[in-house]
Amino acid sequence: MKKIAIFGLVSVLCAVAVGLTIFGLDKQNPVISLKDNNPTISCETTFESLLDNVSATDKNGIKELFIEEKSLAEIIEKSRFTYVAIDGKNNVSKKEVYVNIPDEVKNKKISVLKELVLPLGEEFRAEEYFSITNECGTSFDDIIKVTGLNTKVAGDYEITVSAINDTYTEPLVVVMKVADLESPRIILKATEFELEYGQNLYFNDVVERFEDNKDSFEYLKENMQVDSNVNIYLAGEYHIKYTIMDSDGNIATAEVKVTVKAEEKPVEPSEPTGPSVPNEPTVPSEPETPNEPEQPSQPEEPEQPEEPVEPDTPTDPAE
């Protein structure tokens, strides 16, 4: 019974294996082959040249063949890298390769990328000013640390630049300048002014205020320059230019236009005309002799009233 059971199990397993192969479930990984099992990384080494050192085969064909690491600097850091091959059935093979690293490639240094001047108050980003490279010029993504810098106070700072967690990179000591690079501002009340002939224009009539992130209004006014060609006694168009400079040498300018109106001269009175000669008086005519007034007529004699009539004697009602 045991022999029959074992034989039956073996038959089933063989059938499953054949079935998996038939239905495309082949789990055989591709084979990776190297020309050099321990290559040397030099200044001329590239990703492409490392891929030239490898080949891969598989009955289903090779879909991808690449290096797992993302950069040559990462390979130098690890002193090794990994080849990856993927066949047509997505079976994956990996092969780790250790490399030789000569000193010119292994030794790193901190390099300065640009002028070491940081605007006052601006956030400091070390990667903008420094990079870590080897003698071949390969850049590494090491985290850079800077000590001894105060970005909130202008001045020259001796700073130490180093790579975190890398004892092979020699720290760099340099001087970095934190400078006020922001120019002051001139706020004007207006940019054009019109003056009467002979009218003065004063500073307070033109300038509202000066502004700066560091220096006071009084300091800026003391260091102000004014360039003006205004002649208040000659009509025309003129300009005034104000220039201020803060204690860090930053400059601001502003210009206004001034128009001087023509002089209004008083009107000369006209010459008075002489009095006219009066005409000779005319002789008045003789007055007419008044007519004699008519004598009023005598009023008529009034009519005499009639004598009243005696009334009738009333009769006795008893009669």
Side-chain angles (χ1 to χ4, degrees):
M1 294 293 292
K2 290 183 179 180
K3 290 182 179 180
I4 294 174
I6 293 172
F7 177 77
L9 178 61
V10 172
S11 299
V12 172
L13 291 175
C14 290
V16 171
V18 171
L20 291 175
T21 302
I22 292 173
F23 287 102
L25 299 178
D26 177 21
K27 293 299 182 181
Q28 184 177 355
N29 294 328
V31 177
I32 297 175
S33 302
L34 301 179
K35 296 178 183 178
D36 187 350
N37 291 320
N38 187 216
T40 297
I41 303 296
S42 67
C43 289
E44 288 74 32
T45 301
T46 63
F47 252 55
E48 289 73 16
S49 65
L50 291 176
L51 286 172
D52 290 340
N53 185 52
V54 66
S55 62
T57 58
D58 188 86
K59 64 180 180 180
N60 296 311
I62 300 299
K63 185 168 67 174
E64 290 185 73
L65 180 60
F66 59 92
I67 297 172
E68 191 172 59
E69 282 66 28
K70 303 301 181 184
S71 67
L72 193 61
E74 187 178 353
I75 294 173
I76 296 171
E77 291 277 14
K78 294 180 177 179
S79 297
R80 59 177 174 79
F81 65 97
T82 302
Y83 286 116
V84 180
I86 303 176
D87 68 11
K89 298 295 183 179
N90 292 323
N91 297 310
V92 179
S93 290
K94 293 186 178 184
K95 189 173 186 62
E96 190 173 65
V97 178
Y98 286 85
V99 294
N100 296 315
I101 309 292
D103 289 343
E104 64 177 0
V105 177
K106 182 185 298 183
N107 295 335
K108 297 182 290 185
K109 63 179 181 178
I110 300 174
S111 302
V112 178
L113 298 177
K114 64 179 183 179
E115 184 182 8
L116 299 180
V117 177
L118 177 70
L120 179 66
E122 187 174 294
E123 181 183 356
F124 174 72
R125 296 181 178 88
E127 65 275 9
E128 295 182 3
Y129 292 88
F130 305 99
S131 67
I132 297 178
T133 60
N134 59 14
E135 294 182 15
C136 304
T138 304
S139 296
F140 297 86
D141 294 331
D142 299 42
I143 299 175
I144 301 173
K145 179 176 69 174
V146 173
T147 57
L149 182 64
N150 185 350
T151 63
K152 296 181 180 181
V153 179
D156 294 335
Y157 295 89
E158 185 175 87
I159 61 174
T160 300
V161 187
S162 59
I164 296 178
N165 301 324
D166 184 359
T167 57
Y168 296 100
T169 304
E170 189 73 21
L172 178 68
V173 179
V174 292
V175 174
M176 187 160 195
K177 182 180 183 65
V178 176
D180 174 18
L181 303 179
E182 184 177 342
S183 297
R185 292 165 296 282
I186 301 175
I187 312 300
L188 300 174
K189 292 182 178 180
T191 57
E192 295 187 13
F193 293 85
E194 188 174 76
L195 302 180
E196 299 294 336
Y197 179 87
Q199 178 185 353
N200 285 314
L201 184 66
Y202 300 99
F203 171 82
N204 291 335
D205 298 328
V206 180
V207 177
E208 180 74 34
R209 64 186 182 276
F210 295 149
E211 294 179 350
D212 189 64
N213 63 338
K214 181 180 175 182
D215 297 315
S216 66
F217 170 82
E218 288 74 19
Y219 176 88
L220 296 171
K221 187 175 181 181
E222 288 177 1
N223 291 275
M224 174 184 67
Q225 293 183 355
V226 181
D227 183 13
S228 172
N229 64 347
V230 177
N231 184 347
I232 61 175
Y233 298 107
L234 180 64
E237 184 178 292
Y238 303 94
H239 292 86
I240 304 175
K241 182 179 180 180
Y242 297 94
T243 302
I244 58 175
M245 182 171 65
D246 65 18
S247 57
D248 290 288
N250 301 304
I251 294 175
T253 62
E255 190 170 307
V256 297
K257 184 174 77 172
V258 179
T259 301
V260 177
K261 297 166 66 175
E263 181 182 9
E264 293 185 2
K265 296 182 179 180
V267 179
E268 292 290 336
S270 57
E271 290 291 332
T273 57
S276 58
V277 178
N279 296 326
E280 290 294 329
T282 57
V283 177
S285 59
E286 290 293 330
E288 294 180 359
T289 302
N291 296 327
E292 288 293 332
E294 293 181 357
Q295 292 296 323
S297 60
Q298 293 295 324
E300 296 179 358
E301 289 292 330
E303 293 181 359
Q304 293 295 324
E306 295 179 0
E307 289 292 329
V309 179
E310 290 291 331
D312 294 335
T313 303
T315 62
D316 188 354
E319 290 181 3

